[in-house]
Amino acid sequence: MTPFAALHHAPGPLLLPNAWDHASASVLAAAGFPAVGTTSLAVAAAAGLPDGAAATREETLRLALTLGSAPFLLSVDAEGGFSEDPDEVGEFARQLFAVGAVGVNLEDGLGPVDRHAAKIAAVKRAAPALFVNARTDTYWSGDGSGTRARLDAYQEAGADGVFVPGLTDPWEIAALVRHLEVPLNVLYSPAGPGLTELTGLGVRRVSLGSLLYRRALGAALEALDDVRRGRAPHGTTPTYAEVDALARTGTRTRQD
């Protein structure tokens, strides 16, 4: 079992914060998080491209190259693998692993089950040690129908974990945990169960997705409004020197 996989079998669930650049990943790692994920929305928004449209393959690989040698475990949000060809998805995963990523998220977008299963299998052939978190959008973009059938197919294809964003009902979460043979990942929702309750339900990984990125944008607007109204901005503000010093973390080598 890899160090990243082991984090999914600890006493409590892996709380995975999601970064969008070197600085955000560095501050999260410095705060004590052993693993950091990326968020496709932030990668796309920073480049002025749409999320979920397979438009950010190069930007995603570039970010993985930037973060892959940092002193934390890196999981990459790769949308649907940026191709409908399983072999091309497998090659992209191999490139991610080569630059230091230890995990990858692959979303099905409610497309054909067999095609997504083929992508998962291709990734495991191309990079066997890469932790594949297979995401289904049955709750994110639908009413939850077909969730178990999709996840069963993804487990059989070799997924190391499964991700069901949009699932917040405690009873349904607990039932799905009992059904699955691999760790369940859910997306944290301010309106859903908190971390303590999710722990009790058996969830093994809790992702923050784009929440931190969206909160950062919101904090920037709040600070600007404070300045415009003649008030000192409130909230935590790292100094110039502290942010500048983050660049030095990029020269350190991760010790797995």
Side-chain angles (χ1 to χ4, degrees), residues 98-110:
V99 300
V102 297
V104 65
N105 271 20
L106 287 178
E107 60 194 56
D108 64 11
L110 296 185

Side-chain angles (χ1 to χ4, degrees), residues 84 108-118 150 154:
E84 297 309 328
D108 64 11
L110 296 185
V113 175
D114 57 350
R115 184 177 65 200
H116 199 61
R150 285 178 176 269
Y154 303 160

Side-chain angles (χ1 to χ4, degrees), residues 81-213:
F82 303 111
S83 175
E84 297 309 328
D85 182 335
D87 289 336
E88 291 183 1
V89 175
E91 172 57 21
F92 183 68
R94 186 197 64 77
Q95 293 176 31
L96 290 177
F97 185 72
V99 300
V102 297
V104 65
N105 271 20
L106 287 178
E107 60 194 56
D108 64 11
L110 296 185
V113 175
D114 57 350
R115 184 177 65 200
H116 199 61
K119 290 182 182 182
I120 294 166
V123 170
K124 294 305 292 184
R125 288 194 300 271
L130 193 66
F131 188 102
V132 177
N133 199 36
R135 166 177 158 171
T136 184
D137 291 321
T138 49
Y139 281 88
W140 191 250
S141 303
D143 61 3
S145 300
T147 299
R148 289 194 180 189
R150 285 178 176 269
L151 297 185
D152 285 347
Y154 303 160
Q155 288 182 127
E156 186 174 350
D160 301 288
V162 293
F163 184 23
V164 190
L167 175 61
T168 58
D169 180 85
W171 186 90
E172 293 178 351
I173 291 172
L176 194 55
V177 167
R178 291 192 297 270
H179 175 76
L180 292 168
E181 297 178 2
V182 298
L184 174 64
N185 178 196
V186 300
L187 182 69
Y188 171 78
S189 169
L195 188 60
T196 299
E197 185 175 2
L198 290 172
T199 301
L201 293 171
V203 171
R204 305 310 310 148
R205 174 166 157 181
V206 180
S207 297
L208 296 186
S210 64
L211 177 63
L212 299 181
Y213 177 69

